[in-house]
Amino acid sequence: MSDSTTVDPQVAYDLITKNLQEVLNPQIIKNVLEVEKRHLKLYWGTAPTGRPHCGYFVAMTKLADFLRAGCEVTVLLADLHAFLDNMKAPLEVVNYRAKYYECSIKAILRSINVPIEKLKFVVGSSYQQGGDYTLDIFKLSNIVSQNDAKRAGADVVKQVSNPLLSGLIYPLMQALDEEYLGVDAQFGGVDQRKIFVLAEENLEKIGYKKRAHLMNPMVPGLGQGGKMSASDPNSKIDLLEEPKQVKKKINSAFCAPGNVEENGLLSFVEFVVRPIQELKHGDGYFSFHIDRPEKFGGPLTFESFDALKQAFKEEQLAPPDLKTGVADAINELLAPIREEYANNKEYQEANEKGYPVAVPEKTKKAKKPKNKGSRYPGGANANANAKVAEVTEELKKTTV
Ligand SMILES: N[C@@H](Cc1ccc(O)cc1)C(=O)O
């Protein structure tokens, strides 16, 4: 076994479960670490629907913890799930979006100094389109009721009137992925909980083993009540957002003097900035600088999150100054991502082809579609513009 087995089982377990909201079947994890004495294998799946945003940093800090604990970590780029969820990504572009997500995830991890050599990326459609996998979906569809499949997907699959059958297949496939990726555990946001439970309740019935499930709390957004919402573009910040745009979004965030309860900015510091600082500088480290103008008291640095929160609560720190601090912090996080994008052709191509801008009919030039390298021959971008215009590109929610 390799170097990372030197991680003590208890230390590994604590690292694996650090900052999580919930763990289902922790004994499965303990058994692997303490009895079988091997690395835990786990995966995190992401459906390349819209665009990854700042909230992704949080899931990335957990991937970093898993890697440090010696786990074998797989990232599933769940392209077919992005298609099955109300065609949030049309088949014509989904492979580019999967690439875009992969590039974004790698860029984030590099930016926070996480070694990524050991991270494995798997594209869902590479194994989900035939053979035993299909038969297993049929088997599951014969033991899971429509009602249970529907309820399992309620927090994940976009809820629409007259829902499509695809939304019922989605949770079955997510359950099956655990088997096909050969893992001991699946990690995701707590919004995945109902799918995780469906997996726990049904895999054994088709002859596979039950897995453990690890859940992150949901990352708050910047909107009122700290929500991220698809209808409010100001509630989340794209990874490639320009510094000026970041400032603008942060300035328009809801942030009332002294209100620390409903404060997406403070939550951002707590859930995003703090874990990254701990990852970079060690547990307990916190340093938050605010470049406050002299006339309002001059620059400030807080050495603990509680001190920052308290100062805001007591109105010693005013909303515009907190906003300055948060916007600066976000721009600092995003600078290396933008830099990587500027230097990475593959990342740029994935962006351009994965998110084609819908061209208005009359200005559209008749051009032969180029689709070399597409996994979906016969149509990269041919119909994509029209389709992309039809589907919402916004992430419905934040899954980390
Ligand atoms: N359901 C996850 C994506 C996912 C898809 C398939 C999986 O096996 C795992 C995760 C999301 O909401 O983004």
Side-chain angles (χ1 to χ4, degrees):
M1 283 223 210
S2 72
D3 49 346
S4 28
T5 29
T6 48
V7 182
D8 169 77
Q10 187 59 45
V11 174
Y13 183 82
D14 291 345
L15 204 50
I16 289 166
T17 55
K18 183 182 151 188
N19 293 338
L20 292 181
Q21 178 157 330
E22 196 179 353
V23 181
L24 300 175
N25 285 303
Q27 67 284 0
I28 293 178
I29 300 173
K30 289 188 176 141
N31 191 56
V32 167
L33 299 172
E34 289 164 16
V35 183
E36 295 185 37
K37 296 197 191 307
R38 60 174 175 83
H39 304 303
L40 184 77
K41 295 183 210 158
L42 58 79
Y43 89 99
W44 170 66
T46 180
T49 48
R51 280 169 182 281
H53 48 76
C54 278
Y56 275 62
F57 272 97
V58 185
M60 297 303 109
T61 58
K62 273 317 294 174
L63 295 195
D65 290 341
F66 298 147
L67 289 165
R68 269 206 295 164
C71 300
E72 288 177 25
V73 186
T74 300
V75 172
L76 173 68
L77 301 162
D79 57 346
L80 291 183
H81 283 83
F83 174 64
L84 288 170
D85 184 358
N86 297 280
M87 218 175 61
K88 280 187 188 160
L91 280 182
E92 285 85 352
V93 298
V94 79
N95 54 335
Y96 290 111
R97 288 207 191 166
K99 189 41 89 182
Y100 184 80
Y101 271 58
E102 182 181 340
C103 290
S104 302
I105 290 164
K106 285 181 175 163
I108 296 178
L109 290 170
R110 283 194 198 104
S111 80
I112 53 176
N113 305 327
V114 179
I116 57 168
E117 307 75 52
K118 287 205 182 144
L119 201 60
K120 201 167 123 190
F121 285 86
V122 175
V123 178
S125 58
S126 68
Y127 67 89
Q128 293 163 337
Q129 300 192 80
D132 294 344
Y133 192 91
T134 306
L135 185 60
D136 281 338
I137 298 174
F138 296 157
K139 285 185 187 168
L140 281 179
S141 70
N142 237 347
I143 53 171
V144 176
S145 72
Q146 287 181 37
N147 228 340
D148 287 352
K150 184 177 165 213
R151 268 187 293 169
D155 299 329
V156 172
V157 176
K158 187 176 171 192
Q159 300 296 293
V160 294
S161 57
N162 199 11
L164 295 160
L165 179 57
S166 51
L168 301 181
I169 302 170
Y170 182 119
L172 303 186
M173 285 174 57
Q174 186 164 342
L176 266 188
D177 290 337
E178 298 180 347
E179 172 68 22
Y180 282 77
L181 293 170
V183 296
D184 307 300
Q186 182 178 175
F187 163 65
V190 72
D191 59 339
Q192 310 293 310
R193 194 179 195 284
K194 292 176 182 147
I195 296 182
F196 289 174
V197 171
L198 177 116
E200 293 201 1
E201 286 175 350
N202 292 289
L203 279 190
E204 282 172 316
K205 295 186 190 156
I206 60 167
Y208 298 140
K209 59 177 192 192
K210 185 194 276 193
R211 270 69 184 192
H213 291 96
L214 303 157
M215 285 167 268
N216 238 4
M218 296 313 287
V219 187
L222 299 167
Q224 182 145 20
K227 290 249 163 53
M228 287 211 199
S229 95
S231 55
D232 177 7
N234 284 338
S235 68
K236 49 190 166 39
I237 289 169
D238 190 279
L239 287 178
L240 298 179
E241 204 94 66
E242 290 297 328
K244 265 195 184 153
Q245 193 63 20
V246 170
K247 280 228 169 267
K248 225 169 117 188
K249 285 195 177 182
I250 296 301
N251 279 337
S252 70
F254 176 79
C255 179
N259 183 348
V260 293
E261 307 308 327
E262 264 193 305
N263 193 320
L265 298 174
L266 280 177
S267 304
F268 186 86
V269 177
E270 183 177 8
F271 288 94
V272 183
V273 176
R274 181 164 68 173
I276 291 174
Q277 290 196 348
E278 290 202 342
L279 190 71
K280 283 188 177 165
H281 305 284
D283 282 357
Y285 182 93
F286 184 86
S287 178
F288 192 76
H289 183 74
I290 298 178
D291 206 4
R292 188 169 61 177
E294 286 301 338
K295 61 176 169 183
F296 298 121
L300 274 169
T301 303
F302 292 93
E303 306 292 343
S304 80
F305 176 71
D306 288 341
L308 172 70
K309 193 170 167 182
Q310 194 60 25
F312 191 82
K313 192 173 175 183
E314 289 167 5
E315 299 190 32
Q316 288 156 9
L317 178 66
D321 298 323
L322 177 63
K323 287 179 173 180
T324 303
V326 171
D328 289 347
I330 293 176
N331 281 329
E332 196 183 313
L333 288 178
L334 297 185
I337 318 280
R338 276 194 296 267
E339 195 183 315
E340 168 139 356
Y341 180 79
N343 295 314
N344 184 339
K345 286 258 157 10
E346 195 183 31
Y347 200 173
Q348 293 164 15
E349 188 196 37
N351 185 21
E352 283 150 21
K353 298 203 170 141
Y355 307 90
V357 187
V359 182
E361 272 310 316
K362 44 181 193 279
T363 60
K364 204 164 28 185
K365 285 207 184 107
K367 219 175 154 192
K368 258 199 166 172
K370 272 194 230 147
N371 69 337
K372 270 192 222 132
S374 165
R375 219 176 320 107
Y376 300 100
N381 289 355
N383 306 318
N385 281 347
K387 283 195 177 155
V388 168
E390 273 170 35
V391 297
T392 168
E393 287 206 18
E394 295 288 345
L395 279 171
K396 173 184 112 253
K397 37 95 206 147
T398 324
T399 309
V400 290

